[in-house]
Amino acid sequence: MKPTFQAEWLALPPKISHQVLEKLSLLTQDPRPDGVGRKKLKDFGGKLHRMRCGDYRIFYTFEEPYVSLLALRKRHEHTYDEDIEAESLGGLIIDTPVVEQQKSVGWESFLKPVNPQTTQLPEPITAELLSRLRIPDHFHNRLTLIQTREALYECPGVPEEHLLMLDEVMFERSFEEIIQQPDFLANDVSDLLKFKEGSLLSFLLKLDPEQEKFVYWAMDSKGPTMVKGGPGTGKSTVALYRVRTLMEAIRSDTPVRVLFTTYTNALVSYSRQLLSQLLGSKVASVEVRTADSLVHAIVKGKSGEVNILPPDQEKTIFQQAIDKTDFGGGSLARRSHMDLITRLGIEYLMEEIAEVIEARGLTTVDDYQSCPRGGRRIPLNANQRSTVWQVRESFIRCMARANATTWAMLRHQAAQLVKEGHGPKLYDAVIVDEAQDLDPVSLGMLANLCKNPNRLFVTADANQSIYKNGFSWSDVHDSLQFRGRTGVLKTNHRSTKEIGEAAKDYLGAEAIDEITPQERQYSHTGPLPAVRRVVNEEDEASLIARFFQGASKELRFGISACAVLVPTQRAGESLAAKLSSKGIDVEFMSGKTLDLEKPVAKIITLKSSKGLEFPVVALSGFSQSIYPKIVDTLAGDVSAERTSRERRTLYVAMTRAMRALLILLPLGRQDSLFEGFDGSLWNIGD
């Protein structure tokens, strides 16, 4: 079912809704046209059908084993069944994931000033309609007074989902819009009745054939399985369904224990909700958490309280460690070591230790000397690596004296404890979602926590990996030999083709995608993403306010579908205050306080946006801070490597957008990070 069908069916009076259920039961038995009650409509490649149900028409498609319900429309006296056949779907062939063309809304509609004109509701809002839509009684008085669409969206105190449901029922969507909505799955027609009665709160997303293949793929293999794919290809959804498949396959006399790890706490909560729908009471057998929360618990269980320093304090102790490092030799030798440290910079040196030594679980200087350092552009010879190693040992001693640690050290320690048998009881199956965001040492730890290699399932996005081509999955753990068991998802179901291709082009030579442009497919199309230069914070806030108001109205989303992604918390908090003064319900949310259900526009940092998605997205806040913090005195290779990483960060942020993307850049600021916007792929203006 499409959401449009769900809303239109809920709005029906009880007698008619039961008639529809009876028709749907017949439809599931035989959806083929019979020339009378069921008819194939012209001009849609023979894919779209309609079924009579009294004064209503059910519009659907079918392909074994699914009947797909699109819309439910009343047949007015002045219309005919054939009228729908004249409506263009822009050449859309319904059973293909690629939409070649769609009637798109221009940026003039997104960014124009608020229109003072009003749109009258086609019919009054009644208490009966509100009850059928399951809108609570205490909202009825204020909703029944509404006469215009604008007043509906501005109705105070009514949750956004109720307003959007009313808009769906009052104003019919075109089939162009409906066909691009997500598909939800009901296993039986009776589920619709449960949904109307409120005993079934929501439906699961339907997998497409490409995704469904990997839910069951390589189940009888001898080793782990990995599914790769770009942003929006549904890797996480496949991982969730894979949990159920694995649980059904495991034969055990004791209760089954499954571990599902994901990247952020927000995704933990979201994943738990979906797994509850998939598994019912069996969800109690699944432990859902971030890999870092497991790391913390393992070390705390063995060593007691863990003191992880904030970045500024860690940097202070690191500087102390450099000062106390005994490099040996005379003053000339020390000067040579310090020259290297100055050229690299403290931040780069800290990253080298965290992301190469600790992240790879290296325990000796010989291990470090032979490590390929994939993804690090600056070559280091044997003497230079020896310098880094000595600083690392001094840093460990300084941290020990401060009774503190870092996340990189903690992950290394937890992996070692698990390897020595001091971790938790082994799991029957382990599912690792978004593995590219984990250190190799964390991946190795998770592999060691799985009883059998063939019950380890991993999803990854190569274009978000910091390890690039120098990283070998087999280096992580002896059992992680994915050859022959690596699948690739090629269809982007999140972002429009325009957003996906523009973001990929921005990434340019940094892209490490295994999928060719000819193989990439998209389920949605829309307007080009836009880039605008702004003079100051006031202009920035004004433009975002107009963008959110225009885009959410044109695309029929609520304000909670909108998000601003910013480089720093300070920039986010400043922007939140300015947007609030312009009448936008908005809130800055840190990674720990992120509440995706809250009916406000969200402002979150670029780093916190990983794994999330929003229909309407703005990237902003670059004028409030120097971003990225790249010091001119650093070596050219260091600066280039940091810029490369930040471009990848912006790429990930761009691909959080589903339907509309706006990037705001400071006017007059020249920075390689803010270059690479091709005018044929981006709507560029002042």
Side-chain angles (χ1 to χ4, degrees), residues 19 376 548:
Q19 290 176 357
R376 307 291 279 176
F548 281 179

Side-chain angles (χ1 to χ4, degrees), residues 143-170:
L143 288 171
T144 52
L145 297 176
I146 290 174
Q147 298 180 4
T148 67
R149 192 179 190 184
E150 290 70 22
L152 175 64
Y153 274 94
E154 295 170 2
C155 187
V158 179
E160 194 173 79
E161 63 265 25
H162 300 326
L163 303 180
L164 292 173
M165 180 77 79
L166 279 167
D167 183 82
E168 188 83 54
V169 171
M170 289 285 170

Side-chain angles (χ1 to χ4, degrees), residues 424-442:
K425 181 181 176 183
L426 298 185
Y427 296 91
D428 296 289
V430 174
I431 296 88
V432 183
D433 191 25
E434 303 289 7
Q436 77 282 343
D437 291 316
L438 300 180
D439 289 342
V441 72
S442 296

Side-chain angles (χ1 to χ4, degrees), residues 512-580:
I512 49 179
D513 204 337
E514 299 175 358
I515 306 172
T516 66
Q518 293 74 27
E519 291 178 310
R520 290 198 295 268
Q521 300 184 44
Y522 296 86
S523 295
H524 308 286
T525 64
L528 295 178
V531 177
R532 296 289 186 272
R533 296 274 179 174
V534 290
V535 176
N536 52 43
E537 295 178 35
E538 188 64 29
D539 287 349
E540 191 172 38
S542 296
L543 199 58
I544 292 174
R546 283 161 51 191
F547 171 52
F548 281 179
Q549 291 166 337
S552 60
K553 181 178 179 180
E554 293 289 347
L555 298 174
R556 298 177 75 163
F557 290 108
I559 196 66
S560 64
C562 304
V564 189
L565 311 184
V566 295
T568 64
Q569 178 174 337
R570 182 177 179 182
E573 291 172 342
S574 174
L575 190 57
K578 286 183 167 55
L579 285 174
S580 294

Side-chain angles (χ1 to χ4, degrees), residues 143 211 479:
L143 288 171
Q211 295 167 331
S479 67

Side-chain angles (χ1 to χ4, degrees), residues 640-658:
E641 184 173 322
R642 291 203 182 161
T643 299
S644 171
R645 288 185 176 220
E646 296 304 334
R647 287 184 75 86
R648 197 172 299 282
T649 297
L650 285 190
Y651 163 78
V652 173
M654 292 173 189
T655 57
R656 303 306 95 194
M658 299 167 68

